[in-house]
């Protein structure tokens, strides 16, 4: 049960990263001086923070450029000199693009309470390259007003079931976003170096630095040498790792690249790493099964589910009412007056995207989703609209300084860098969409199609 609770937390970090950051904005990361070794600063009421300088390009010793990887650690409940100290467990929440720092601040104490027993553990996570507080960032916009305009344009284009004209606009939109990111890279030079192989090398170096700090080893043993060029070590530092979703891909990459450096590894909510590395990303069938499960749990919950009616004889009754509602708003799109003095339209695609997001975290989100849907079906779209993440009058300037707003930019850069190039024509793009439609007939028009497919 506790395992499933942690599983449902992972996407809360990915989806609501800026919200979590708003709750932790009392710490100024500018106070942390980047260093080639782990130099911790007290932060976030009982945590330790550091910025570790690592090579931008692990494979080119002649390239002196660096990244500053932001790290946070929740110390063990006992001193590290205590015989019951078990070491450090490194977490990755998934994504790609999820902030490990936000995830640890959100769920670190829960995870530490789960793993602590006869042994007590330090819990550590970090923002991978391009993500969150790690610099340089993979931000393609560097301008929140432009990012807001991009979000409005993305939604205005329509969804993939809108016919050939919409699909062509979707493809052009993806190409435009790719050009924007390439333009940003000409200045910040990070996107070529944020792949999972680079992050795995970063993790290996973090493990080395943890051991060096803990055991006060000779700094020459773990200096700034590239890992592939280092002499064989008979007793290398080994990782304890727990990864979810994309974090299972990172764990697989690490274990494949450094098989002798794994102590214990938990991979939960496992992705198909071959599908991920191929760049095809055709596996969406679980969304259909999870959506069916939503209606089953609603019926079994009875009056505790706001979509349930006493006359229901099975899950299909509430589902039938919902399908009728979808048909109605598809034919007569409702208008909604926003709290900041504007108005908007709520489409069938908007509803399905809100549902798709909730499917990643059933334990946490099914009950709120039922409330959101029942309110929308009664004509109240306030909660539905709030979950769409559209810019409003308060968006510029950002209400939260340094908020992590470029998660899509980072996610696209990492996933595209890991996958095989697709170089699709419009014909092959339509074939790709058709393949997704077979796997997920309910959600295919509303799924995020990565820009690297074009």
């Amino acid at each position: 049960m506790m395992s499933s609770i942690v599983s449902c937390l992972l996407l809360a970090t990915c989806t609501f990263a800026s919200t979590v950051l708003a709750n932790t904005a009392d710490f100024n990361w500018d106070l942390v001086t980047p260093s080639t070794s782990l130099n911790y600063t007290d932060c976030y009421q009982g945590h330790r923070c550091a910025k570790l300088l690592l090579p931008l390009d692990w494979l080119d010793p002649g390239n002196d450029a660096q990244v500053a990887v932001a790290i946070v650690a929740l110390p063990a409940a006992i001193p590290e000199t205590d015989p019951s100290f078990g070491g450090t467990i490194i977490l990755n929440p998934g994504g790609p693009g999820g902030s490990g720092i936000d995830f640890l601040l959100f769920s670190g104490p829960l995870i530490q309470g789960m793993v602590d027993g006869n042994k007590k553990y330090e819990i550590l996570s970090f923002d991978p390259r391009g993500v969150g507080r790690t610099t340089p960032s993979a931000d393609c916009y560097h301008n929140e007003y432009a990012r807001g305009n991009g979000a409005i344009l993305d939604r205005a284009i329509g969804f993939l079931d809108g016919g050939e004209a919409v699909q062509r606009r979707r493809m052009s939109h993806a190409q435009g976003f790719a050009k924007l990111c390439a333009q940003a890279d000409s200045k910040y030079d990070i996107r070529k170096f944020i792949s999972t192989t680079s992050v795995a090398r970063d993790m290996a170096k973090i493990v080395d630095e943890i051991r060096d700090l803990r055991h006060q080893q000779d700094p020459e043993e773990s200096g700034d040498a590239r890992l592939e060029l280092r002499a064989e070590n008979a007793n290398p530092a080994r990782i304890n790792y727990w990864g979810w979703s994309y974090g299972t891909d990172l764990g697989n990459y690490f274990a494949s690249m450094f098989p002798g450096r794994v102590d214990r590894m938990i991979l939960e909510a496992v992705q198909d790493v071959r599908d991920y590395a191929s760049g095809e990303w055709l596996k969406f069938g679980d969304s259909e099964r999870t959506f069916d499960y939503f209606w089953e749990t609603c019926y079994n919950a009875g009056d505790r589910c706001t979509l349930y009616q006493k006359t229901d004889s099975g899950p299909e009754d509430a589902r039938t009412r919902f399908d009728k509602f979808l048909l109605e708003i598809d034919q007569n799109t409702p208008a909604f007056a926003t709290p900041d003095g504007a108005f908007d339209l709520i489409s069938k695609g908007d509803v399905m995207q809100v549902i798709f997001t909730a499917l990643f975290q059933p334990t946490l989100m099914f009950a709120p989703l039922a409330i959101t849907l029942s309110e929308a079906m009664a004509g109240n779209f306030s909660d539905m609209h709030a979950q769409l993440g559209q810019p409003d009058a308060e968006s510029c300037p950002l209400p939260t300084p340094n908020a992590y707003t470029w998660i899509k930019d980072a996610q696209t850069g990492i996933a595209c860098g890991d996958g095989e190039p697709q170089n699709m024509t419009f014909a092959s793009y339509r074939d790709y969409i058709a393949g997704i439609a077979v796997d997920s007939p309910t959600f295919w028009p509303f799924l995020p199609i990565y820009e690297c497919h074009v």
Side-chain angles (χ1 to χ4, degrees), residues 297-375:
T297 56
C298 180
Y299 177 74
N300 292 334
D303 291 336
R304 290 174 294 164
C305 177
T306 54
L307 291 166
Y308 173 82
Q309 294 183 3
K310 293 186 181 298
T311 56
D312 288 350
S313 59
E316 64 278 357
D317 293 330
R319 177 71 181 266
T320 298
R321 290 191 295 272
F322 170 75
D323 289 341
K324 181 180 178 182
F325 161 74
L326 276 188
L327 181 62
E328 289 174 352
I329 65 171
D330 198 31
Q331 295 176 344
N332 300 287
T333 305
F336 169 75
T338 65
D340 61 336
F343 76 91
D344 204 347
L345 305 179
I346 302 294
S347 70
K348 172 183 175 181
D350 294 330
V351 175
M352 297 306 293
Q353 285 197 324
V354 168
I355 292 171
F356 184 73
T357 299
L359 298 184
F360 285 91
Q361 38 194 341
T363 306
L364 191 67
M365 292 303 298
F366 270 11
L369 175 63
I371 294 172
T372 298
L373 293 180
S374 61
E375 289 181 352

Side-chain angles (χ1 to χ4, degrees), residues 193-246:
F193 304 103
I194 60 176
S195 68
T196 300
T197 53
S198 291
V199 178
R201 293 182 175 99
D202 293 345
M203 282 208 307
K205 182 62 173 174
I206 290 171
V207 173
D208 286 339
E209 292 299 327
I210 291 171
R211 184 176 68 173
D212 290 352
L213 180 65
R214 188 160 293 148
H215 299 293
Q216 299 295 307
Q217 293 182 341
D218 183 352
E220 291 184 1
E221 179 184 336
S222 61
D224 194 41
R226 269 53 176 179
L227 295 177
E228 282 80 6
L229 305 178
R230 186 179 300 163
E232 288 294 328
N233 187 335
N235 184 30
R238 290 178 169 84
I239 193 171
N240 290 316
Y241 177 80
W242 197 344
W244 293 263
S245 189
Y246 159 78

Side-chain angles (χ1 to χ4, degrees), residues 405-438:
T405 57
W406 58 94
I407 184 168
K408 178 193 173 186
D409 308 8
Q411 183 178 61
T412 303
I414 297 166
C416 294
D418 286 340
E420 293 293 329
Q422 300 300 303
N423 300 320
M424 290 186 179
T425 63
F426 180 68
S428 58
Y429 181 65
R430 297 197 76 180
D431 289 341
Y432 171 71
I433 294 170
I436 293 179
V438 171

Side-chain angles (χ1 to χ4, degrees), residues 75-376:
I78 45 87
E80 294 182 358
T81 53
D82 191 291
S84 63
F85 177 65
T88 299
I89 299 174
I90 297 179
L91 311 177
N92 182 277
S99 167
I101 291 175
D102 290 341
F103 181 69
L104 188 142
L105 295 174
F106 185 57
S107 57
L110 170 63
I111 294 174
Q112 190 174 63
M114 291 169 57
V115 299
D116 277 358
N118 294 331
K119 295 289 187 180
K120 311 296 182 184
Y121 293 90
E122 175 185 57
I123 309 298
L124 180 146
S125 194
F126 62 99
D127 284 354
R129 292 166 175 248
V131 172
R133 302 160 186 83
T134 288
T135 56
S137 77
D139 188 350
C140 294
Y141 286 94
H142 294 279
N143 181 309
E144 294 310 311
Y145 181 78
R147 192 189 316 280
N149 283 341
I152 293 171
L153 175 62
D154 180 67
R155 183 162 168 250
I157 288 173
F159 298 96
L160 292 170
D161 58 350
E164 180 177 332
V166 172
Q167 292 171 1
R168 287 189 180 277
R169 287 196 293 272
R170 278 273 155 217
M171 192 170 186
S172 295
H173 180 270
Q175 291 167 340
F177 182 72
K179 291 177 180 179
L180 175 71
C181 295
Q183 178 177 288
D185 253 16
S186 66
K187 179 178 180 180
Y188 297 97
D189 195 30
I190 183 63
R191 205 162 297 270
K192 292 180 291 186
F193 304 103
I194 60 176
S195 68
T196 300
T197 53
S198 291
V199 178
R201 293 182 175 99
D202 293 345
M203 282 208 307
K205 182 62 173 174
I206 290 171
V207 173
D208 286 339
E209 292 299 327
I210 291 171
R211 184 176 68 173
D212 290 352
L213 180 65
R214 188 160 293 148
H215 299 293
Q216 299 295 307
Q217 293 182 341
D218 183 352
E220 291 184 1
E221 179 184 336
S222 61
D224 194 41
R226 269 53 176 179
L227 295 177
E228 282 80 6
L229 305 178
R230 186 179 300 163
E232 288 294 328
N233 187 335
N235 184 30
R238 290 178 169 84
I239 193 171
N240 290 316
Y241 177 80
W242 197 344
W244 293 263
S245 189
Y246 159 78
T248 67
D249 293 330
L250 175 58
N252 271 308
Y253 275 58
F254 185 95
S256 298
M257 294 168 65
F258 308 108
R261 304 203 59 185
V262 177
D263 189 2
R264 297 178 180 178
M265 182 174 287
I266 301 175
L267 304 181
E268 188 169 348
V270 177
Q271 288 194 158
D272 185 332
V273 69
R274 291 182 178 86
D275 182 65
Y276 175 75
S278 73
E280 294 178 353
W281 310 323
L282 290 168
K283 305 295 180 68
F284 292 98
D286 282 347
S287 60
E288 301 291 325
R289 290 183 285 273
T290 308
F291 195 36
D292 290 341
Y293 181 64
F294 169 75
W295 296 109
E296 293 169 9
T297 56
C298 180
Y299 177 74
N300 292 334
D303 291 336
R304 290 174 294 164
C305 177
T306 54
L307 291 166
Y308 173 82
Q309 294 183 3
K310 293 186 181 298
T311 56
D312 288 350
S313 59
E316 64 278 357
D317 293 330
R319 177 71 181 266
T320 298
R321 290 191 295 272
F322 170 75
D323 289 341
K324 181 180 178 182
F325 161 74
L326 276 188
L327 181 62
E328 289 174 352
I329 65 171
D330 198 31
Q331 295 176 344
N332 300 287
T333 305
F336 169 75
T338 65
D340 61 336
F343 76 91
D344 204 347
L345 305 179
I346 302 294
S347 70
K348 172 183 175 181
D350 294 330
V351 175
M352 297 306 293
Q353 285 197 324
V354 168
I355 292 171
F356 184 73
T357 299
L359 298 184
F360 285 91
Q361 38 194 341
T363 306
L364 191 67
M365 292 303 298
F366 270 11
L369 175 63
I371 294 172
T372 298
L373 293 180
S374 61
E375 289 181 352

